[in-house]
Amino acid sequence: EPEVTQTPSHQVTQMGQEVILRCVPISNHLYFYWYRQILGQKVEFLVSFYNNEISEKSEIFDDQFSVERPDGSNFTLKIRSTKLEDSAMYFCASKPTGSGNTIYFGEGSWLTVV
Amino acid sequence: DAKTTQPTSMDCAEGRAANLPCNHSTISGNEYVYWYRQIHSQGPQYIIHGLKNNETNEMASLIITEDRKSSTLILPHATLRDTAVYYCIVSFGGGGSNYKLTFGKGTLLTVNP
């Protein structure tokens, strides 16, 4: 069964460093997402991406965050200058076109900022 | 998207059916009911969704009341591996570029031996 894959599974970084989280969405999907989940809290929407541009972003997704689809298969989340509060699990997700279609999530990248 | 209300936690005995309720009294006519689950901080896993009719797949059954104001997810024979947080989410059909899912706190289902 096709799945969303994410790398790395776990990354430890120093505060202020740049981090890139990578995702390979399901191949025929055209909508892409990043969510995050701080330990013990809800899964939160960060950003959605369609047709090579951001469709919607949440208040969390400030100027230190950016997304990119550098080629036909990868979808990345960059955090420019990490803060302690960016420590969280980051989930990539994708969805095909059409109504009633389902969003499929990857297993997540656990980011620890020290 | 319409708001949902779920119990914070439930217990179920292994091998028995787990019935997880969800209230969504403000659901509108073109909103779907989706169920996802999250096993121990893994990525949310899609279970099932429906609009008006009851639905069944290999994982679960979804019973939606006639007035669509509530639904029940049924795991027919719960196993220990079904211990997870279950999320009931109401959302418009995903045709638009601004489609997304909004997660609440869900129900922690604990399946006991």
Side-chain angles (χ1 to χ4, degrees):
Chain A
E1 184 177 313
E3 57 183 23
V4 177
T5 57
Q6 293 186 238
T7 55
S9 56
H10 187 198
Q11 181 162 354
V12 180
T13 190
Q14 291 206 327
M15 192 168 51
Q17 295 296 304
E18 176 182 283
V19 161
I20 297 176
L21 304 178
R22 292 182 168 80
C23 170
V24 179
I26 296 172
S27 63
N28 62 340
H29 289 190
L30 297 180
Y31 295 89
F32 312 117
Y33 305 83
W34 285 100
Y35 283 74
R36 81 170 186 189
Q37 186 175 32
I38 295 171
L39 188 63
Q41 298 188 21
K42 295 189 293 185
V43 177
E44 300 174 291
F45 169 78
L46 289 180
V47 65
S48 59
F49 190 89
Y50 172 71
N51 200 25
N52 284 320
E53 61 182 23
I54 290 174
S55 305
E56 186 177 351
K57 57 184 181 179
S58 70
E59 291 180 354
I60 304 167
F61 195 89
D62 61 22
D63 290 345
Q64 71 160 345
F65 290 92
S66 62
V67 289
E68 191 179 31
R69 187 156 164 81
D71 53 41
S73 60
N74 291 287
F75 180 52
T76 62
L77 175 69
K78 181 191 289 186
I79 309 175
R80 240 176 296 278
S81 177
T82 50
K83 306 172 193 168
L84 295 177
E85 54 265 37
D86 294 327
S87 295
M89 182 73 90
Y90 288 82
F91 297 110
C92 176
S94 69
K95 188 187 83 68
T97 57
S99 64
N101 279 310
T102 302
I103 294 179
Y104 293 91
F105 289 80
E107 286 303 306
S109 293
W110 182 246
L111 176 65
T112 302
V113 182
V114 297
Chain B
D1 295 336
K3 185 177 169 60
T4 62
T5 304
Q6 298 179 252
T8 303
S9 64
M10 294 182 64
D11 287 314
C12 177
E14 189 178 18
R16 304 298 294 269
N19 296 283
L20 292 94
C22 180
N23 286 321
H24 31 78
S25 59
T26 61
I27 192 170
S28 63
N30 55 355
E31 286 186 302
Y32 288 77
V33 180
Y34 288 85
W35 283 85
Y36 281 76
R37 73 181 181 182
Q38 189 176 26
I39 298 172
H40 191 53
S41 295
Q42 296 178 18
Q45 178 188 23
Y46 166 77
I47 302 173
I48 199 166
H49 74 282
L51 184 63
K52 294 180 183 177
N53 300 320
N54 298 337
E55 302 287 345
T56 295
N57 63 20
E58 65 278 4
M59 288 183 70
S61 295
L62 173 60
I63 308 298
I64 302 174
T65 57
E66 194 168 340
D67 63 8
R68 302 187 70 239
K69 292 185 177 181
S70 66
S71 61
T72 301
L73 178 75
I74 301 172
L75 307 179
H77 305 287
T79 70
L80 298 179
R81 290 180 298 174
D82 292 321
T83 293
V85 178
Y86 287 77
Y87 301 100
C88 169
I89 303 169
V90 168
S91 186
F92 291 101
S97 61
N98 60 349
Y99 174 76
K100 67 180 188 289
L101 296 173
T102 301
F103 288 81
K105 295 183 179 180
T107 296
L108 172 61
L109 174 69
T110 303
V111 180
N112 300 305

